[in-house]
Amino acid sequence: MKKFLFAFILITACTNEKKPDQVRKLSGEDNKVALTRKDSMQIRKFVELAFKAPLHSKEHQVFLDSALHIQPDNAWLWQQKAMPLYKSRKYSLGKPFLEKAVEYDAKRWLDYSGFMKCIFSKEYLESITDFVRFKNEFGDGYVMDHTYNFYIGLSYLQLNEFNKAKEFLELSKEQQYADFSKDAPHEACHYLDWYYLGIANFELGSYQEAISSFDMALKGYGNFADALYFKGRSLTKLGDPEGVEWERKAFENANNTINEDYVIYEIYPYQVFHKLNESVRPK
């Protein structure tokens, strides 16, 4: 029965024969597809079927394809095709779909594309390009709870361009200070901004500045193991014997690692206490 339904949907979506009142036309200067009422109902049905199917299944993708056959310029549908593939680490398969989403609605999906390239596919130069383009065309902002400058800074960290990383992480900090001016510094600026600013300073050999940033990260996220660890390393670099104790404390709090929503899919830059690190697993 499932195979029959699957085949029926494919046949229905791929037919080119339509009655006059069902024909889709291009309308307006942006050449968007104008949908009939029947088209809209069919798309809604295919989307509902897609979300009833398992997220990573072939059926999910085919139902979305059926909707896109009716409305090929629907950017959200293209993004919905890309997202499960990125979550499955099939970046090269998802990338063309994400590019389609940006092509049809850059204002909605370009910053998201930059986020996916930074956190998921690790295409750091392309991530920077996406965010710079967005800022130039649409202005500055936030995506997935962080500033564009945060992701640019993070990308530069991963490219070992530590001065540029620090520059953009400082911009991110100041941006949040301005946007959340009534909050205390460790609350206005996200704990990960403080953490990665500490990392940039650590890589630059500015260990005292790094410690100050890690302390602010720890105010925002108590016993944050990764910040404890790099604070310990910074103290050791300065010749302070207490560094060993901070590193020990980090391992005692190994479960208190980066807690972003997407950490279940990806290891974040400079995340010490992640699922692949055997040294932090319970004995």
Side-chain angles (χ1 to χ4, degrees):
M1 180 63 183
K2 185 178 291 185
K3 290 182 178 179
F4 174 80
L5 176 62
F6 196 56
F8 173 76
I9 289 168
L10 283 173
I11 293 170
T12 303
C14 294
T15 181
N16 289 321
E17 296 181 5
K18 288 180 175 286
K19 295 179 181 180
D21 65 334
Q22 296 173 329
V23 174
R24 286 172 283 119
K25 299 178 182 179
L26 297 178
S27 66
E29 294 181 356
D30 57 357
N31 289 330
K32 289 290 185 182
V33 173
L35 302 177
T36 66
R37 185 169 179 271
K38 183 175 181 180
D39 286 333
S40 297
M41 291 176 66
Q42 284 184 313
I43 290 171
R44 181 174 179 178
K45 182 176 181 180
F46 287 134
V47 169
E48 288 175 352
L49 289 169
F51 282 102
K52 287 180 181 177
L55 182 65
H56 301 287
S57 67
K58 291 180 180 179
E59 291 86 351
H60 181 83
Q61 289 286 339
V62 172
F63 289 134
L64 292 174
D65 286 339
S66 299
L68 280 164
H69 181 79
I70 302 170
Q71 191 182 19
D73 59 359
N74 186 315
W76 177 79
L77 289 172
W78 287 111
Q79 181 272 337
Q80 287 295 302
K81 279 182 64 65
M83 177 263 295
L85 294 167
Y86 275 85
K87 288 182 176 180
S88 299
R89 300 186 182 89
K90 297 181 179 181
Y91 312 124
S92 61
L93 295 181
K95 187 174 182 178
F97 302 142
L98 189 54
E99 288 175 342
K100 280 289 188 181
V102 172
E103 175 187 342
Y104 289 121
D105 192 350
K107 190 172 184 179
R108 175 63 184 87
W109 297 113
L110 181 58
D111 58 355
Y112 175 83
S113 173
F115 160 77
M116 295 298 279
K117 289 172 182 175
C118 179
I119 300 301
F120 281 79
S121 58
K122 282 72 177 173
E123 297 170 287
Y124 299 113
L125 285 174
E126 290 191 29
S127 176
I128 292 168
T129 298
D130 282 352
F131 281 116
V132 170
R133 177 190 160 192
F134 193 102
K135 288 171 71 168
N136 288 337
E137 294 183 11
F138 307 111
D140 218 335
Y142 295 74
V143 62
M144 300 300 174
D145 299 325
H146 295 283
T147 68
Y148 301 160
N149 290 317
F150 168 83
Y151 294 109
I152 295 173
L154 200 54
S155 295
Y156 277 126
L157 266 183
Q158 293 300 89
L159 294 169
N160 282 357
E161 296 192 40
F162 303 121
N163 280 309
K164 285 188 176 180
K166 181 175 179 177
E167 174 188 344
F168 281 95
L169 289 165
E170 289 282 3
L171 286 173
S172 179
K173 180 183 73 174
E174 295 303 322
Q175 183 178 348
Q176 291 170 86
Y177 278 177
D179 291 340
F180 307 101
S181 58
K182 294 182 179 180
D183 295 337
H186 68 278
E187 295 175 340
C189 184
H190 196 283
Y191 80 85
L192 275 184
D193 284 80
W194 287 115
Y195 175 64
Y196 286 119
L197 184 56
I199 293 294
N201 281 313
F202 177 86
E203 293 287 17
L204 289 167
S206 301
Y207 302 118
Q208 198 60 60
E209 283 187 70
I211 290 169
S212 296
S213 292
F214 294 136
D215 282 342
M216 293 296 280
L218 288 163
K219 281 188 176 182
Y221 179 7
N223 290 326
F224 175 21
D226 303 81
L228 291 169
Y229 174 79
F230 275 103
K231 178 177 179 177
R233 287 194 60 191
S234 298
L235 287 166
T236 299
K237 290 284 188 179
L238 290 171
D240 190 331
E242 288 190 13
V244 175
E245 287 302 307
W246 284 95
E247 289 187 44
R248 181 187 60 77
K249 187 176 180 181
F251 281 88
E252 289 177 355
N253 289 275
N255 289 330
N256 295 332
T257 187
I258 294 171
N259 57 12
E260 297 284 280
D261 290 343
Y262 295 93
V263 77
I264 63 173
Y265 303 107
E266 299 291 340
I267 295 169
Y268 273 59
Y270 291 86
Q271 183 182 2
V272 180
F273 299 95
H274 55 74
K275 55 198 170 189
L276 298 183
N277 188 347
E278 292 184 2
S279 69
V280 303
R281 295 176 189 168
K283 303 299 186 204

